Amino acid sequence: MEGNDTDTESTVMVVDDTAANRYALGAVLSRAGHSVVPVASAGEALVELDVRLRAGALPDVALVDVGLPDMNGFELCRRLKAQPPMAALPVVHFSAVSAGPAYRCRGLDAGGEGYLAVPAEPEEIQAVVRAAVRGARMRTGAETLVRRLTLLSETIATVQTARCLRELADAAAEGTARLTGSPAAVFVLAEDGELYRGMSRSRVRAALPDRGAHEAVARLIRHATAGRTGLRRTVVPAPLWPAGFFRPGASEDARLVMARTQDGRTPVCLATPAHADRDAAPEADTLVARLARATALAAEPLLMYQAERHVALTLQHSFLPQELPEMPGVDVVVRYVPASRQTEIGGDFYAALRTSTGVLTAVGDVVGHSLEAATVMVEIRHALRAYCVEDCDPGVLARRLDRMLQHYHPDVTATVCLALVDPASGRARIANAGHIPPLIVDDGGTADYVEAGGPLLGLGLDRPTPSEVVLTPTDRLLMVTDGLIETRGTDLEVSMEQLRTAGAAAPRGTAALCDTLLHCFGQDREDDIALLALRLG
């Protein structure tokens, strides 16, 4: 009786204490193309299986004599099935003792896959072995498929919750590597030509390909996906695929699975070594294709966010110059740091304006993180410039800005702190609308907040009279947005005290004060940061 190659080319362990029986069964199985491992006892079988388990070379099936001298075949089967690594090994019991259905039932109850009454015809022995191996491989294949589907679902969930394109690419690369059992690289090509790359952890991170290699990959992706939507598979030979993406310095053919959404945007490429296809499970290619589609869909909103973030950041940089024109009688230094790339740009701003009675400074924050917040920020700065020409009193300006927001943006609120400083006398008049109050830092190592408060802009509430202080030549007036110090889980009063302490210990000078505080608090913040420091000059 003939079987296919996957059924016949198997390794069979024969467990029998009688040498003649081992020889006879071994001869039948060898003629059918099987490799035979003969052992003479249950104890010897357990030792041999343990050695093979460590080497990753378990047999495909075990033929076990019921009447072994040290342990009957049923007990040996139960022990094997109780050990997870060996539980998948199919066991076929055999016996020359005629016991009717009793031995067959005991063998099945012990976890065996079949039973043979010997002597038996060679065809029957071979058929029973083939059936046991085939059944075990089907069960193993089904279990493997379930594991792979579970892994695919987990990877897609991770990809869909990625906060940025690099997180998305890394998650997809790790999932691809686990699905295929090989190193993987994932690329997302943005519309502006920027290429985001993710690498599986199995890939050594040293000596990553250079910029030229990434540009070559970007050209390949553009060419392969031009005018296409949906999915495309291709193999790129090593001379065309840059070396080092799978193994440091190694030049290998690459198998690419590329996907684009229906509108033709967001090319995504999942790359693995082409030689890995020979060892991959048949369903791996289908699962990688599903992951490619899911990655392309998940990349869409992130790319839209990137575009919106770029516009918002452009607005911020356009209207928040890093250097201000000279102001008569004062030294003013400003700093702006956008939020980390995983976070949306907000509406933080600063301003320093010449007026008829002094220098007007302002630091504020439009509530929210979006392009709208950045746009409203620009409107507030323009309104402030216009209003202060007629009346630069901070209290009057706060009320006018409040009414402007209510009229044009009734769903938006903002915080702002306004300070009008007379360079000649040092007199400063301060109006605060829900913002962190200014901090006055003396060169002698003291720092205190100005007692100035009031409700947010946009609520239409009554406002207190502005506070007044007198600055000395050794004082620095510091105004910041809460993005500098606000931390989840930490009370704002605690953060403000930390800021006061750090300000008191900062070196002299307005620029030194700002840079020191940014170094202390401004690393990888979740919100924008705006600072303004003023000193009489």
Side-chain angles (χ1 to χ4, degrees):
M1 184 177 293
E2 296 182 354
N4 61 45
D5 290 341
T6 60
D7 291 333
T8 57
E9 295 179 0
S10 306
T11 300
V12 183
M13 174 176 280
V14 177
V15 188
D16 195 322
D17 61 320
T18 303
N21 291 344
R22 293 197 302 273
Y23 176 79
L25 281 172
V28 170
L29 295 168
S30 296
R31 284 197 298 270
H34 301 291
S35 298
V36 179
V37 181
V39 294
S41 68
E44 187 179 339
L46 290 173
V47 172
E48 179 69 20
L49 288 171
D50 184 64
V51 171
R52 287 177 168 270
L53 177 63
R54 295 175 189 276
L58 282 175
D60 296 289
V61 64
L63 290 180
V64 179
D65 183 18
V66 169
L68 297 172
D70 54 344
M71 179 192 308
N72 69 51
F74 306 128
E75 180 59 27
L76 174 60
C77 181
R78 274 191 287 268
R79 289 200 181 188
L80 296 178
K81 298 300 182 180
Q83 301 179 53
M86 297 185 189
L89 174 65
V91 175
V92 176
H93 291 102
F94 66 89
S95 175
V97 178
S98 178
Y103 278 1
R104 187 182 304 275
C105 293
R106 289 183 65 185
L108 294 174
D109 289 341
E113 278 71 20
Y115 180 83
L116 267 172
V118 295
E121 294 295 326
E123 291 84 358
E124 182 181 1
I125 296 172
Q126 295 165 13
V128 168
V129 168
R130 287 199 302 270
V133 172
R134 190 183 305 114
R137 290 179 178 175
M138 289 178 64
R139 288 193 299 274
T140 302
E143 292 168 358
T144 300
L145 180 58
V146 169
R147 287 195 298 270
R148 289 178 183 273
L149 288 172
T150 301
L151 172 59
L152 176 64
S153 298
E154 292 172 350
T155 301
I156 289 175
T158 304
V159 164
Q160 290 175 337
T161 56
R163 297 176 300 168
C164 65
L165 288 166
R166 285 195 172 86
E167 275 189 15
L168 175 142
D170 278 334
E174 187 61 26
T176 302
R178 294 175 66 188
L179 285 170
T180 61
S182 67
V186 169
F187 306 91
V188 181
L189 185 61
E191 286 187 291
D192 61 1
E194 184 172 0
L195 188 71
Y196 297 88
R197 183 207 67 223
M199 309 286 284
S200 60
R201 287 193 292 269
S202 60
R203 162 64 167 85
V204 178
R205 296 287 172 153
L208 289 173
D210 58 18
R211 181 176 181 83
H214 287 81
E215 290 174 351
V217 170
R219 288 194 297 270
L220 282 169
I221 295 173
R222 276 194 293 267
H223 177 74
T225 59
R228 298 172 180 265
T229 59
L231 195 72
R232 187 184 180 196
R233 300 176 177 88
T234 188
V235 173
V236 178
L240 298 179
W241 181 258
F245 279 114
F246 304 131
R247 292 181 298 167
S251 180
E252 303 175 70
D253 295 348
R255 178 169 179 76
L256 310 184
V257 179
M258 292 168 286
R260 296 186 86 155
T261 50
Q262 290 302 313
D263 59 5
R265 300 172 60 190
T266 321
V268 167
C269 173
L270 278 54
T272 54
H275 67 76
D277 290 350
R278 296 191 295 269
D279 302 321
E283 70 276 1
D285 185 61
T286 300
L287 299 182
V288 170
R290 291 185 183 180
L291 178 57
R293 293 190 186 96
T295 303
L297 289 172
E300 278 289 306
L302 291 177
L303 283 167
M304 292 176 64
Y305 154 72
Q306 288 284 77
E308 181 175 298
R309 188 181 192 277
H310 177 72
V311 173
L313 193 56
T314 301
L315 276 175
Q316 296 280 40
H317 284 166
S318 298
F319 290 92
L320 300 177
Q322 290 295 313
E323 294 184 5
L324 298 175
E326 290 188 9
M327 302 285 174
V330 296
D331 173 32
V332 182
V333 171
V334 292
R335 298 287 187 269
Y336 171 72
V337 180
S340 63
R341 291 181 66 89
Q342 289 80 21
T343 310
E344 290 185 278
I345 293 296
D348 292 36
F349 67 93
Y350 51 72
L353 305 168
R354 298 189 188 93
T355 73
S356 58
T357 57
V359 174
L360 177 70
T361 62
V363 169
D365 182 8
V366 177
V367 176
H369 296 85
S370 65
L371 180 57
E372 181 187 18
T375 304
V376 174
M377 173 276 292
V378 173
E379 292 186 38
I380 290 176
R381 291 187 79 256
H382 281 315
L384 186 63
R385 291 173 65 90
Y387 292 154
C388 74
V389 172
E390 180 180 337
D391 192 333
C392 57
D393 181 77
V396 173
L397 293 173
R399 287 192 293 272
R400 288 185 173 181
L401 292 174
D402 183 53
R403 290 196 297 271
M404 185 273 288
L405 274 186
Q406 291 180 72
H407 182 77
Y408 291 108
H409 303 282
D411 297 326
V412 176
T413 57
T415 68
V416 68
C417 185
L418 302 163
L420 179 63
V421 179
D422 179 4
S425 65
R427 177 173 173 264
R429 187 169 169 82
I430 299 168
N432 192 358
H435 203 77
I436 295 175
L439 184 67
I440 297 179
V441 182
D442 183 81
D443 285 350
T446 62
D448 293 291
Y449 287 103
V450 177
E451 293 186 4
L456 279 71
L457 300 179
L459 299 179
L461 300 176
D462 292 339
R463 303 200 162 273
T465 301
S467 303
E468 291 194 8
V469 296
V470 176
L471 302 176
T472 70
T474 62
D475 290 334
R476 287 163 289 173
L477 181 70
L478 176 70
M479 304 166 73
V480 304
T481 56
D482 58 10
L484 178 67
I485 58 172
E486 193 171 47
T487 304
R488 291 182 185 179
T490 302
D491 189 87
L492 183 58
E493 291 185 1
V494 173
S495 298
M496 288 177 61
E497 178 58 24
Q498 293 172 343
L499 175 65
R500 189 193 68 78
T501 302
R508 297 182 179 183
T510 50
L513 175 62
C514 290
D515 293 339
T516 298
L517 295 179
L518 282 176
H519 177 74
C520 292
F521 301 101
Q523 306 302 312
D524 196 30
R525 303 298 295 184
E526 295 185 1
D527 201 354
D528 298 5
I529 299 170
L531 296 86
L532 183 149
L534 177 147
R535 186 172 198 163
L536 301 178

